[in-house]
Amino acid sequence: MHVSPDPITTPQQAAQERETLLDFIARGLYCATASALGTGHDEPSADALTKARAVADDYMAAYEEWLVKLAADNATPGPQ
């Protein structure tokens, strides 16, 4: 099934979407680490989520920089 989300049209929607993505990535990082260590999949503590969100934020920032560079490269005239 294909789901097409509503377009993001305001800075507030973009910020809310970024926070949601950070939460998903942080929880995924926690689960991957817990699984690799064999500690189970309990609900992460607030401290664990805070640390994972910092890592997730770094990933998101790098991805956003890459998207901006890609957009700039695509906007330049001539062969891509």
Side-chain angles (χ1 to χ4, degrees), residues 21-35 41 44 49 52 56:
L21 286 172
L22 282 176
D23 188 51
F24 285 144
I25 294 169
R27 287 179 180 277
L29 289 169
Y30 174 82
C31 287
T33 303
S35 179
H41 293 286
L49 277 180

Side-chain angles (χ1 to χ4, degrees), residues 1-12:
M1 174 172 68
H2 175 72
V3 177
S4 182
D6 293 330
I8 296 171
T9 57
T10 67
Q12 294 81 11

Side-chain angles (χ1 to χ4, degrees), residues 63-74:
Y63 180 67
E64 290 163 347
E65 286 178 24
W66 175 78
L67 285 176
V68 169
K69 183 184 178 314
L70 182 65
D73 289 348
N74 288 338

Side-chain angles (χ1 to χ4, degrees), residues 36-56:
L37 296 174
T39 58
H41 293 286
D42 297 335
E43 186 67 24
S45 68
D47 184 50
L49 277 180
T50 298
K51 290 177 181 175
R53 277 182 71 92
V55 174

